[in-house]
Amino acid sequence: MALLPLFHDLSNRSVLLVGAGTVGRDKLRALAPTGALVHIVALQVHPDVAAIASSPRLRVERRAFRSEDLLGKALVVSATNDPALNTAIAAMARDLGIPVNAVDDPPRCDVFFAATWRRGPLTVALGTEGAFPGLARSLRETLDHLVPEDDGDLLQALVEARRELFKRLPDPAARRDALLQLIQAFRATYLHPELQP
């Protein structure tokens, strides 16, 4: 059964991250730019987590997980090094109807973290439904080499051009033709040869 890839708006929503080792650090790096209010609960905290968590949107408590930590959460990420605890947290979150990501335990996950690639307004999420995260990460690194970071400005300019076309061309057919011309010009002029269709 295929999963439905979605982009979830977590801005100002409360997220629980249990565990703050290297895996928790990687999950926090993915969560931090979303604008989520991340509550981190862990007995031990990786130094990188402590540095990232200096943001006012992130709160760290150095203690054991408690079931009441789940209350009011929009998402739960269980990233401890204790599989039994991860399983228990996932079960409790599911009972409360909260989507959960139980690290390295796909059958107990409702959601999976994608390998995310961003350039300006463009976001590409790559996933393997939890089966082989390293493969998705490798593909993301390939995109890094194909499309330099500087191209983010170009992509933003295309978004602005599209907005302008919507203002100037009320006719949907004319707008569609103009957008196709814009994309063709982008491909011909700016797209790296490796990405040409």
Side-chain angles (χ1 to χ4, degrees):
M1 182 170 58
L3 296 180
L4 175 65
L6 297 171
F7 289 90
H8 193 155
D9 182 0
L10 289 173
S11 180
N12 295 314
R13 310 237 6 236
S14 187
V15 174
L16 176 65
L17 172 60
V18 185
T22 55
V23 175
R25 174 200 61 196
D26 293 344
K27 300 304 180 189
L28 180 58
R29 284 180 176 157
L31 289 166
T34 68
L37 305 170
V38 184
H39 179 197
I40 304 158
V41 174
L43 293 171
Q44 297 179 345
V45 177
H46 190 284
D48 291 348
V49 170
I52 297 167
S54 61
S55 163
R57 303 187 76 74
L58 310 176
R59 177 171 55 113
V60 178
E61 290 190 73
R62 294 176 189 249
R63 61 168 174 78
F65 164 80
R66 298 189 293 248
S67 58
E68 56 265 30
D69 293 329
L70 297 168
L71 300 178
K73 300 301 185 279
L75 174 67
V76 172
V77 180
S78 185
T80 76
N81 59 3
D82 180 346
L85 178 58
N86 288 341
T87 297
I89 292 169
M92 286 185 266
R94 280 181 162 173
D95 285 348
L96 292 170
I98 305 168
V100 64
N101 174 263
V103 174
D104 291 332
D105 194 356
R108 288 178 179 77
C109 290
D110 298 310
V111 295
F112 295 91
F113 278 70
T116 306
W117 178 87
R118 297 177 197 274
R119 286 293 180 273
L122 180 63
T123 301
V124 176
L126 302 159
T128 60
E129 300 185 1
F132 194 172
L135 176 60
R137 196 166 38 253
S138 176
L139 289 171
R140 181 194 63 207
E141 290 165 0
T142 300
L143 286 172
D144 278 337
H145 293 295
L146 293 175
V147 184
E149 215 164 309
D150 294 347
D151 284 2
D153 292 339
L154 169 64
L155 296 171
Q156 185 61 48
L158 287 171
V159 168
E160 297 301 326
R162 179 180 181 270
R163 284 187 188 132
E164 202 55 39
L165 284 173
F166 268 76
K167 288 180 194 173
R168 293 182 184 191
L169 296 174
D171 177 50
R175 200 168 47 230
R176 183 182 62 245
D177 290 344
L179 288 170
L180 284 173
Q181 288 176 14
L182 186 66
I183 290 170
Q184 287 169 350
F186 166 72
R187 284 178 171 166
T189 308
Y190 298 103
L191 205 57
H192 300 279
E194 307 94 292
L195 294 178
Q196 292 284 358

